[in-house]
Amino acid sequence: MTDIHTQFIDTSQLRIGMFVYLDMGWMEHPFPVSNFRISHQEQIDKIRSLGLERIRYAPAKSDPEPVAVITSGTPEPVQPENPATRAARERRELLASQAASLQHCEKQFSHAAQTFRSIHEQMHAQPGSARELAESLIEGFLGDILTEDEAAIRLLSEKAGEKTSLHAINVVVISLLLGKALGLGKSDMLHLGIGALLHDLGKMMLPDRLRWVDEHFNHSEKQLFQEHVAHGVQLARKMGLPAPVQLLIGQHHEYFDGSGYPSHASGDRLNLPSRILSLVNYYDNLCNPANPALAITPHEALSQIFTQYKARFHAPTMTAFIRMMGIYPPGSVVQLTDERFAMVVSVNSSRPIKPRVVIHDTSVPREEALVINLEHEPHLGIHKSLKPLQLPKAAFDYLSPRKRLCYFFERGLELSPERGGDQ
């Protein structure tokens, strides 16, 4: 898949022939898709009317004419930059670009979380409206995911989502990216996304104390907890969700070896979307359990799935999942080959061994730390994964490892190779 490099420009510089990206919710702009080549002036006028000061575009996908900068009057002579000034300016631009990308991801996550809460509020009194909200949300996700551009799994701040919506949206994002990697068609992707979003819907029918699995549950409490699957299927029927979505909700705790519940379905009784959802749900529950004290790191979760629970999951699906997430998924705390500490914040599924990281560097203030793409660092790699508490206090405070992992996806924003090591 071709990697698309993008950069930001002022909206005053827009011209016909540019391939642009609207980094905003699909309901916040009047265009049918969020990225397209500008073909006439009316599109430029509409983009400028959105109130955006800057916009992202892909030079490689744009027509080759140079960008015309609009000026008024006689331009003043441009003074050449010295190397130090140029380096400082480029660093500011990179920081601004990275901050804009992260802000966009968090804004999209917040919108998804609000929609998820609205679905919960409407599912009993207005089940049809709840279904339409779910379908609209997933269709919007697919509009961004099912493009030729690459998508990276991005770690967000903990404040981006509370427990209920955080788990649901994490599972949606990872499931859809895995579904794309495994070649699911658009219809199956839509069903997978809706099923992933609503897989725990039935927990709303349980008493509060039983909504989150607890290792201290007695036998009867465990049975009551497992009934959330049947409750979820009932609610899905009430909402008028299609049979494939009902099946996904009914099988999200089933495993390939038949050790799951409620039906102990196994093997070919689980279709590919069900295999994806079961695996991703299990992974996120390891990283984001009800009790944060029991959480394990993303690296540990992948290792545990592969070494201890391999039989539970369809081997090709598990292999694709590990390849996509990388050996060090977003949220992993690592030590680099030069002995510095870092946190993985983004993984490109096509190059998972070389993720993007934030590096602990005492010479750079934390708020000015760049995201470094290790692919552009031939002499720098990851030496080993660490638990957050293994970090020295200064590195722990600088990197701020998350107690809860919150994921979204971002389009392929890349650091240029010549700038990758500016830490």
PDB file of all heavy atoms in Angstrom, residues 296-303 326-337 340-344 381-391:
ATOM      1  N   ILE A 296      -2.543  -5.064  32.409  1.00  0.00           N
ATOM      2  CA  ILE A 296      -1.204  -5.427  31.952  1.00  0.00           C
ATOM      3  C   ILE A 296      -0.877  -4.575  30.734  1.00  0.00           C
ATOM      4  O   ILE A 296      -1.760  -3.977  30.114  1.00  0.00           O
ATOM      5  CB  ILE A 296      -1.089  -6.933  31.625  1.00  0.00           C
ATOM      6  CG1 ILE A 296      -2.042  -7.342  30.495  1.00  0.00           C
ATOM      7  CG2 ILE A 296      -1.353  -7.764  32.869  1.00  0.00           C
ATOM      8  CD1 ILE A 296      -1.910  -8.813  30.107  1.00  0.00           C
ATOM      9  N   THR A 297       0.403  -4.481  30.407  1.00  0.00           N
ATOM     10  CA  THR A 297       0.811  -3.624  29.294  1.00  0.00           C
ATOM     11  C   THR A 297       0.369  -4.239  27.962  1.00  0.00           C
ATOM     12  O   THR A 297       0.147  -5.452  27.867  1.00  0.00           O
ATOM     13  CB  THR A 297       2.334  -3.437  29.284  1.00  0.00           C
ATOM     14  OG1 THR A 297       2.954  -4.689  28.948  1.00  0.00           O
ATOM     15  CG2 THR A 297       2.846  -2.960  30.634  1.00  0.00           C
ATOM     16  N   PRO A 298       0.250  -3.422  26.917  1.00  0.00           N
ATOM     17  CA  PRO A 298      -0.104  -3.971  25.601  1.00  0.00           C
ATOM     18  C   PRO A 298       0.865  -5.061  25.149  1.00  0.00           C
ATOM     19  O   PRO A 298       0.436  -6.069  24.575  1.00  0.00           O
ATOM     20  CB  PRO A 298      -0.033  -2.744  24.691  1.00  0.00           C
ATOM     21  CG  PRO A 298      -0.277  -1.590  25.586  1.00  0.00           C
ATOM     22  CD  PRO A 298       0.354  -1.948  26.891  1.00  0.00           C
ATOM     23  N   HIS A 299       2.144  -4.872  25.394  1.00  0.00           N
ATOM     24  CA  HIS A 299       3.138  -5.892  25.029  1.00  0.00           C
ATOM     25  C   HIS A 299       2.872  -7.189  25.779  1.00  0.00           C
ATOM     26  O   HIS A 299       2.904  -8.280  25.195  1.00  0.00           O
ATOM     27  CB  HIS A 299       4.537  -5.366  25.345  1.00  0.00           C
ATOM     28  CG  HIS A 299       5.637  -6.349  25.075  1.00  0.00           C
ATOM     29  ND1 HIS A 299       6.092  -6.619  23.799  1.00  0.00           N
ATOM     30  CD2 HIS A 299       6.348  -7.152  25.903  1.00  0.00           C
ATOM     31  CE1 HIS A 299       7.055  -7.536  23.862  1.00  0.00           C
ATOM     32  NE2 HIS A 299       7.230  -7.865  25.136  1.00  0.00           N
ATOM     33  N   GLU A 300       2.580  -7.076  27.087  1.00  0.00           N
ATOM     34  CA  GLU A 300       2.274  -8.275  27.877  1.00  0.00           C
ATOM     35  C   GLU A 300       0.987  -8.937  27.394  1.00  0.00           C
ATOM     36  O   GLU A 300       0.896 -10.169  27.364  1.00  0.00           O
ATOM     37  CB  GLU A 300       2.136  -7.903  29.353  1.00  0.00           C
ATOM     38  CG  GLU A 300       3.431  -7.512  30.031  1.00  0.00           C
ATOM     39  CD  GLU A 300       3.215  -7.034  31.451  1.00  0.00           C
ATOM     40  OE1 GLU A 300       2.260  -6.257  31.690  1.00  0.00           O
ATOM     41  OE2 GLU A 300       4.000  -7.429  32.329  1.00  0.00           O
ATOM     42  N   ALA A 301       0.001  -8.141  27.035  1.00  0.00           N
ATOM     43  CA  ALA A 301      -1.273  -8.696  26.568  1.00  0.00           C
ATOM     44  C   ALA A 301      -1.075  -9.517  25.300  1.00  0.00           C
ATOM     45  O   ALA A 301      -1.591 -10.639  25.187  1.00  0.00           O
ATOM     46  CB  ALA A 301      -2.284  -7.571  26.327  1.00  0.00           C
ATOM     47  N   LEU A 302      -0.334  -8.978  24.330  1.00  0.00           N
ATOM     48  CA  LEU A 302      -0.069  -9.734  23.104  1.00  0.00           C
ATOM     49  C   LEU A 302       0.713 -11.011  23.410  1.00  0.00           C
ATOM     50  O   LEU A 302       0.411 -12.080  22.869  1.00  0.00           O
ATOM     51  CB  LEU A 302       0.713  -8.878  22.108  1.00  0.00           C
ATOM     52  CG  LEU A 302      -0.049  -7.808  21.342  1.00  0.00           C
ATOM     53  CD1 LEU A 302       0.861  -7.151  20.322  1.00  0.00           C
ATOM     54  CD2 LEU A 302      -1.274  -8.370  20.654  1.00  0.00           C
ATOM     55  N   SER A 303       1.701 -10.894  24.276  1.00  0.00           N
ATOM     56  CA  SER A 303       2.509 -12.060  24.634  1.00  0.00           C
ATOM     57  C   SER A 303       1.663 -13.124  25.319  1.00  0.00           C
ATOM     58  O   SER A 303       1.780 -14.319  25.021  1.00  0.00           O
ATOM     59  CB  SER A 303       3.658 -11.634  25.555  1.00  0.00           C
ATOM     60  OG  SER A 303       4.406 -12.750  25.972  1.00  0.00           O
ATOM     61  N   GLY A 326       1.772  -4.682  16.029  1.00  0.00           N
ATOM     62  CA  GLY A 326       3.195  -4.578  16.278  1.00  0.00           C
ATOM     63  C   GLY A 326       3.559  -5.295  17.561  1.00  0.00           C
ATOM     64  O   GLY A 326       2.714  -5.574  18.420  1.00  0.00           O
ATOM     65  N   ILE A 327       4.829  -5.615  17.710  1.00  0.00           N
ATOM     66  CA  ILE A 327       5.280  -6.268  18.933  1.00  0.00           C
ATOM     67  C   ILE A 327       5.107  -5.318  20.120  1.00  0.00           C
ATOM     68  O   ILE A 327       4.890  -5.737  21.251  1.00  0.00           O
ATOM     69  CB  ILE A 327       6.748  -6.701  18.793  1.00  0.00           C
ATOM     70  CG1 ILE A 327       6.874  -7.714  17.647  1.00  0.00           C
ATOM     71  CG2 ILE A 327       7.278  -7.291  20.085  1.00  0.00           C
ATOM     72  CD1 ILE A 327       8.301  -8.118  17.343  1.00  0.00           C
ATOM     73  N   TYR A 328       5.168  -4.023  19.836  1.00  0.00           N
ATOM     74  CA  TYR A 328       5.031  -3.011  20.880  1.00  0.00           C
ATOM     75  C   TYR A 328       3.852  -2.100  20.515  1.00  0.00           C
ATOM     76  O   TYR A 328       4.033  -1.055  19.889  1.00  0.00           O
ATOM     77  CB  TYR A 328       6.319  -2.201  21.017  1.00  0.00           C
ATOM     78  CG  TYR A 328       7.548  -3.064  21.195  1.00  0.00           C
ATOM     79  CD1 TYR A 328       8.386  -3.339  20.106  1.00  0.00           C
ATOM     80  CD2 TYR A 328       7.861  -3.628  22.428  1.00  0.00           C
ATOM     81  CE1 TYR A 328       9.513  -4.136  20.264  1.00  0.00           C
ATOM     82  CE2 TYR A 328       8.978  -4.429  22.589  1.00  0.00           C
ATOM     83  CZ  TYR A 328       9.794  -4.675  21.506  1.00  0.00           C
ATOM     84  OH  TYR A 328      10.905  -5.479  21.656  1.00  0.00           O
ATOM     85  N   PRO A 329       2.636  -2.483  20.877  1.00  0.00           N
ATOM     86  CA  PRO A 329       1.457  -1.689  20.508  1.00  0.00           C
ATOM     87  C   PRO A 329       1.470  -0.317  21.184  1.00  0.00           C
ATOM     88  O   PRO A 329       2.210  -0.085  22.145  1.00  0.00           O
ATOM     89  CB  PRO A 329       0.288  -2.532  21.031  1.00  0.00           C
ATOM     90  CG  PRO A 329       0.842  -3.889  21.280  1.00  0.00           C
ATOM     91  CD  PRO A 329       2.272  -3.682  21.638  1.00  0.00           C
ATOM     92  N   PRO A 330       0.647   0.614  20.688  1.00  0.00           N
ATOM     93  CA  PRO A 330       0.561   1.929  21.326  1.00  0.00           C
ATOM     94  C   PRO A 330       0.259   1.798  22.819  1.00  0.00           C
ATOM     95  O   PRO A 330      -0.590   1.010  23.228  1.00  0.00           O
ATOM     96  CB  PRO A 330      -0.590   2.599  20.578  1.00  0.00           C
ATOM     97  CG  PRO A 330      -0.578   1.963  19.235  1.00  0.00           C
ATOM     98  CD  PRO A 330      -0.210   0.534  19.484  1.00  0.00           C
ATOM     99  N   GLY A 331       0.970   2.577  23.613  1.00  0.00           N
ATOM    100  CA  GLY A 331       0.842   2.493  25.061  1.00  0.00           C
ATOM    101  C   GLY A 331       1.975   1.733  25.703  1.00  0.00           C
ATOM    102  O   GLY A 331       2.155   1.786  26.924  1.00  0.00           O
ATOM    103  N   SER A 332       2.760   1.018  24.903  1.00  0.00           N
ATOM    104  CA  SER A 332       3.886   0.261  25.436  1.00  0.00           C
ATOM    105  C   SER A 332       4.997   1.214  25.885  1.00  0.00           C
ATOM    106  O   SER A 332       5.315   2.186  25.204  1.00  0.00           O
ATOM    107  CB  SER A 332       4.455  -0.695  24.375  1.00  0.00           C
ATOM    108  OG  SER A 332       3.495  -1.640  23.975  1.00  0.00           O
ATOM    109  N   VAL A 333       5.580   0.922  27.035  1.00  0.00           N
ATOM    110  CA  VAL A 333       6.754   1.649  27.520  1.00  0.00           C
ATOM    111  C   VAL A 333       7.974   0.807  27.179  1.00  0.00           C
ATOM    112  O   VAL A 333       8.001  -0.398  27.446  1.00  0.00           O
ATOM    113  CB  VAL A 333       6.676   1.893  29.036  1.00  0.00           C
ATOM    114  CG1 VAL A 333       7.945   2.569  29.537  1.00  0.00           C
ATOM    115  CG2 VAL A 333       5.456   2.736  29.368  1.00  0.00           C
ATOM    116  N   VAL A 334       8.977   1.416  26.562  1.00  0.00           N
ATOM    117  CA  VAL A 334      10.112   0.660  26.043  1.00  0.00           C
ATOM    118  C   VAL A 334      11.433   1.345  26.391  1.00  0.00           C
ATOM    119  O   VAL A 334      11.471   2.529  26.728  1.00  0.00           O
ATOM    120  CB  VAL A 334      10.015   0.489  24.508  1.00  0.00           C
ATOM    121  CG1 VAL A 334       8.766  -0.293  24.120  1.00  0.00           C
ATOM    122  CG2 VAL A 334      10.033   1.846  23.801  1.00  0.00           C
ATOM    123  N   GLN A 335      12.502   0.554  26.280  1.00  0.00           N
ATOM    124  CA  GLN A 335      13.849   1.111  26.340  1.00  0.00           C
ATOM    125  C   GLN A 335      14.474   0.944  24.968  1.00  0.00           C
ATOM    126  O   GLN A 335      14.388  -0.132  24.357  1.00  0.00           O
ATOM    127  CB  GLN A 335      14.698   0.407  27.399  1.00  0.00           C
ATOM    128  CG  GLN A 335      16.060   1.079  27.615  1.00  0.00           C
ATOM    129  CD  GLN A 335      16.798   0.541  28.830  1.00  0.00           C
ATOM    130  OE1 GLN A 335      16.593  -0.601  29.219  1.00  0.00           O
ATOM    131  NE2 GLN A 335      17.641   1.358  29.429  1.00  0.00           N
ATOM    132  N   LEU A 336      15.069   2.003  24.460  1.00  0.00           N
ATOM    133  CA  LEU A 336      15.639   1.996  23.124  1.00  0.00           C
ATOM    134  C   LEU A 336      17.052   1.428  23.137  1.00  0.00           C
ATOM    135  O   LEU A 336      17.655   1.231  24.193  1.00  0.00           O
ATOM    136  CB  LEU A 336      15.640   3.410  22.551  1.00  0.00           C
ATOM    137  CG  LEU A 336      14.266   4.107  22.479  1.00  0.00           C
ATOM    138  CD1 LEU A 336      14.433   5.524  21.970  1.00  0.00           C
ATOM    139  CD2 LEU A 336      13.294   3.328  21.610  1.00  0.00           C
ATOM    140  N   THR A 337      17.572   1.174  21.951  1.00  0.00           N
ATOM    141  CA  THR A 337      18.910   0.592  21.846  1.00  0.00           C
ATOM    142  C   THR A 337      19.999   1.542  22.327  1.00  0.00           C
ATOM    143  O   THR A 337      21.118   1.114  22.607  1.00  0.00           O
ATOM    144  CB  THR A 337      19.193   0.178  20.392  1.00  0.00           C
ATOM    145  OG1 THR A 337      18.896   1.288  19.518  1.00  0.00           O
ATOM    146  CG2 THR A 337      18.347  -1.016  19.993  1.00  0.00           C
ATOM    147  N   ARG A 340      17.840   5.067  26.106  1.00  0.00           N
ATOM    148  CA  ARG A 340      16.814   6.037  26.507  1.00  0.00           C
ATOM    149  C   ARG A 340      15.467   5.327  26.638  1.00  0.00           C
ATOM    150  O   ARG A 340      15.225   4.282  26.038  1.00  0.00           O
ATOM    151  CB  ARG A 340      16.725   7.165  25.488  1.00  0.00           C
ATOM    152  CG  ARG A 340      17.894   8.126  25.536  1.00  0.00           C
ATOM    153  CD  ARG A 340      17.673   9.321  24.622  1.00  0.00           C
ATOM    154  NE  ARG A 340      17.653   8.939  23.209  1.00  0.00           N
ATOM    155  CZ  ARG A 340      17.397   9.793  22.214  1.00  0.00           C
ATOM    156  NH1 ARG A 340      17.139  11.066  22.491  1.00  0.00           N
ATOM    157  NH2 ARG A 340      17.416   9.397  20.961  1.00  0.00           N
ATOM    158  N   PHE A 341      14.577   5.936  27.424  1.00  0.00           N
ATOM    159  CA  PHE A 341      13.236   5.393  27.616  1.00  0.00           C
ATOM    160  C   PHE A 341      12.263   6.119  26.687  1.00  0.00           C
ATOM    161  O   PHE A 341      12.456   7.296  26.356  1.00  0.00           O
ATOM    162  CB  PHE A 341      12.800   5.551  29.070  1.00  0.00           C
ATOM    163  CG  PHE A 341      13.701   4.859  30.054  1.00  0.00           C
ATOM    164  CD1 PHE A 341      14.599   5.588  30.815  1.00  0.00           C
ATOM    165  CD2 PHE A 341      13.677   3.472  30.185  1.00  0.00           C
ATOM    166  CE1 PHE A 341      15.451   4.956  31.716  1.00  0.00           C
ATOM    167  CE2 PHE A 341      14.522   2.831  31.077  1.00  0.00           C
ATOM    168  CZ  PHE A 341      15.409   3.574  31.842  1.00  0.00           C
ATOM    169  N   ALA A 342      11.213   5.404  26.285  1.00  0.00           N
ATOM    170  CA  ALA A 342      10.248   5.981  25.353  1.00  0.00           C
ATOM    171  C   ALA A 342       8.887   5.331  25.536  1.00  0.00           C
ATOM    172  O   ALA A 342       8.768   4.270  26.159  1.00  0.00           O
ATOM    173  CB  ALA A 342      10.731   5.800  23.901  1.00  0.00           C
ATOM    174  N   MET A 343       7.864   5.975  24.989  1.00  0.00           N
ATOM    175  CA  MET A 343       6.527   5.389  24.973  1.00  0.00           C
ATOM    176  C   MET A 343       6.016   5.353  23.537  1.00  0.00           C
ATOM    177  O   MET A 343       6.102   6.355  22.811  1.00  0.00           O
ATOM    178  CB  MET A 343       5.549   6.176  25.842  1.00  0.00           C
ATOM    179  CG  MET A 343       4.159   5.533  25.908  1.00  0.00           C
ATOM    180  SD  MET A 343       3.099   6.244  27.185  1.00  0.00           S
ATOM    181  CE  MET A 343       2.867   7.896  26.528  1.00  0.00           C
ATOM    182  N   VAL A 344       5.518   4.209  23.124  1.00  0.00           N
ATOM    183  CA  VAL A 344       4.955   4.046  21.784  1.00  0.00           C
ATOM    184  C   VAL A 344       3.602   4.748  21.747  1.00  0.00           C
ATOM    185  O   VAL A 344       2.734   4.488  22.583  1.00  0.00           O
ATOM    186  CB  VAL A 344       4.795   2.553  21.429  1.00  0.00           C
ATOM    187  CG1 VAL A 344       4.162   2.397  20.046  1.00  0.00           C
ATOM    188  CG2 VAL A 344       6.149   1.843  21.479  1.00  0.00           C
ATOM    189  N   GLY A 381      16.521   1.659  17.615  1.00  0.00           N
ATOM    190  CA  GLY A 381      15.412   0.715  17.656  1.00  0.00           C
ATOM    191  C   GLY A 381      14.991   0.466  19.089  1.00  0.00           C
ATOM    192  O   GLY A 381      15.448   1.110  20.029  1.00  0.00           O
ATOM    193  N   ILE A 382      14.086  -0.504  19.261  1.00  0.00           N
ATOM    194  CA  ILE A 382      13.588  -0.864  20.592  1.00  0.00           C
ATOM    195  C   ILE A 382      14.385  -2.046  21.115  1.00  0.00           C
ATOM    196  O   ILE A 382      14.497  -3.078  20.449  1.00  0.00           O
ATOM    197  CB  ILE A 382      12.085  -1.174  20.543  1.00  0.00           C
ATOM    198  CG1 ILE A 382      11.301   0.103  20.186  1.00  0.00           C
ATOM    199  CG2 ILE A 382      11.600  -1.739  21.871  1.00  0.00           C
ATOM    200  CD1 ILE A 382       9.814  -0.121  20.008  1.00  0.00           C
ATOM    201  N   HIS A 383      14.920  -1.898  22.305  1.00  0.00           N
ATOM    202  CA  HIS A 383      15.693  -2.968  22.940  1.00  0.00           C
ATOM    203  C   HIS A 383      14.787  -3.918  23.708  1.00  0.00           C
ATOM    204  O   HIS A 383      14.889  -5.140  23.572  1.00  0.00           O
ATOM    205  CB  HIS A 383      16.739  -2.368  23.869  1.00  0.00           C
ATOM    206  CG  HIS A 383      17.471  -3.381  24.714  1.00  0.00           C
ATOM    207  ND1 HIS A 383      18.144  -4.463  24.173  1.00  0.00           N
ATOM    208  CD2 HIS A 383      17.622  -3.485  26.061  1.00  0.00           C
ATOM    209  CE1 HIS A 383      18.675  -5.189  25.150  1.00  0.00           C
ATOM    210  NE2 HIS A 383      18.366  -4.618  26.298  1.00  0.00           N
ATOM    211  N   LYS A 384      13.851  -3.364  24.514  1.00  0.00           N
ATOM    212  CA  LYS A 384      12.973  -4.232  25.296  1.00  0.00           C
ATOM    213  C   LYS A 384      11.771  -3.441  25.785  1.00  0.00           C
ATOM    214  O   LYS A 384      11.782  -2.208  25.838  1.00  0.00           O
ATOM    215  CB  LYS A 384      13.710  -4.831  26.491  1.00  0.00           C
ATOM    216  CG  LYS A 384      14.237  -3.818  27.501  1.00  0.00           C
ATOM    217  CD  LYS A 384      14.977  -4.515  28.640  1.00  0.00           C
ATOM    218  CE  LYS A 384      15.569  -3.507  29.622  1.00  0.00           C
ATOM    219  NZ  LYS A 384      16.292  -4.180  30.728  1.00  0.00           N
ATOM    220  N   SER A 385      10.731  -4.188  26.128  1.00  0.00           N
ATOM    221  CA  SER A 385       9.529  -3.595  26.714  1.00  0.00           C
ATOM    222  C   SER A 385       9.686  -3.554  28.228  1.00  0.00           C
ATOM    223  O   SER A 385      10.329  -4.419  28.828  1.00  0.00           O
ATOM    224  CB  SER A 385       8.305  -4.419  26.334  1.00  0.00           C
ATOM    225  OG  SER A 385       7.143  -3.916  26.954  1.00  0.00           O
ATOM    226  N   LEU A 386       9.070  -2.547  28.842  1.00  0.00           N
ATOM    227  CA  LEU A 386       9.121  -2.388  30.285  1.00  0.00           C
ATOM    228  C   LEU A 386       7.717  -2.230  30.858  1.00  0.00           C
ATOM    229  O   LEU A 386       6.786  -1.832  30.153  1.00  0.00           O
ATOM    230  CB  LEU A 386       9.933  -1.134  30.658  1.00  0.00           C
ATOM    231  CG  LEU A 386      11.388  -1.048  30.200  1.00  0.00           C
ATOM    232  CD1 LEU A 386      11.922   0.341  30.503  1.00  0.00           C
ATOM    233  CD2 LEU A 386      12.231  -2.106  30.889  1.00  0.00           C
ATOM    234  N   LYS A 387       7.576  -2.532  32.134  1.00  0.00           N
ATOM    235  CA  LYS A 387       6.378  -2.147  32.854  1.00  0.00           C
ATOM    236  C   LYS A 387       6.560  -0.698  33.295  1.00  0.00           C
ATOM    237  O   LYS A 387       7.674  -0.274  33.605  1.00  0.00           O
ATOM    238  CB  LYS A 387       6.165  -3.045  34.062  1.00  0.00           C
ATOM    239  CG  LYS A 387       5.879  -4.494  33.701  1.00  0.00           C
ATOM    240  CD  LYS A 387       5.635  -5.334  34.945  1.00  0.00           C
ATOM    241  CE  LYS A 387       5.327  -6.779  34.560  1.00  0.00           C
ATOM    242  NZ  LYS A 387       5.069  -7.636  35.743  1.00  0.00           N
ATOM    243  N   PRO A 388       5.475   0.081  33.330  1.00  0.00           N
ATOM    244  CA  PRO A 388       5.625   1.502  33.698  1.00  0.00           C
ATOM    245  C   PRO A 388       6.384   1.721  35.003  1.00  0.00           C
ATOM    246  O   PRO A 388       7.182   2.654  35.111  1.00  0.00           O
ATOM    247  CB  PRO A 388       4.181   1.985  33.787  1.00  0.00           C
ATOM    248  CG  PRO A 388       3.454   1.126  32.796  1.00  0.00           C
ATOM    249  CD  PRO A 388       4.101  -0.230  32.912  1.00  0.00           C
ATOM    250  N   LEU A 389       6.155   0.851  35.992  1.00  0.00           N
ATOM    251  CA  LEU A 389       6.807   1.044  37.288  1.00  0.00           C
ATOM    252  C   LEU A 389       8.301   0.741  37.247  1.00  0.00           C
ATOM    253  O   LEU A 389       9.014   1.009  38.222  1.00  0.00           O
ATOM    254  CB  LEU A 389       6.118   0.190  38.355  1.00  0.00           C
ATOM    255  CG  LEU A 389       4.683   0.622  38.701  1.00  0.00           C
ATOM    256  CD1 LEU A 389       4.091  -0.295  39.753  1.00  0.00           C
ATOM    257  CD2 LEU A 389       4.628   2.082  39.164  1.00  0.00           C
ATOM    258  N   GLN A 390       8.780   0.170  36.146  1.00  0.00           N
ATOM    259  CA  GLN A 390      10.217  -0.050  35.996  1.00  0.00           C
ATOM    260  C   GLN A 390      10.952   1.203  35.527  1.00  0.00           C
ATOM    261  O   GLN A 390      12.175   1.237  35.536  1.00  0.00           O
ATOM    262  CB  GLN A 390      10.475  -1.193  34.991  1.00  0.00           C
ATOM    263  CG  GLN A 390      10.047  -2.566  35.488  1.00  0.00           C
ATOM    264  CD  GLN A 390      10.265  -3.645  34.439  1.00  0.00           C
ATOM    265  OE1 GLN A 390       9.614  -3.666  33.402  1.00  0.00           O
ATOM    266  NE2 GLN A 390      11.215  -4.527  34.709  1.00  0.00           N
ATOM    267  N   LEU A 391      10.205   2.224  35.146  1.00  0.00           N
ATOM    268  CA  LEU A 391      10.819   3.465  34.698  1.00  0.00           C
ATOM    269  C   LEU A 391      11.382   4.243  35.885  1.00  0.00           C
ATOM    270  O   LEU A 391      10.770   4.269  36.957  1.00  0.00           O
ATOM    271  CB  LEU A 391       9.788   4.352  33.993  1.00  0.00           C
ATOM    272  CG  LEU A 391       9.298   3.932  32.615  1.00  0.00           C
ATOM    273  CD1 LEU A 391       8.127   4.820  32.196  1.00  0.00           C
ATOM    274  CD2 LEU A 391      10.414   4.023  31.582  1.00  0.00           C
TER     275      LEU A 391
END
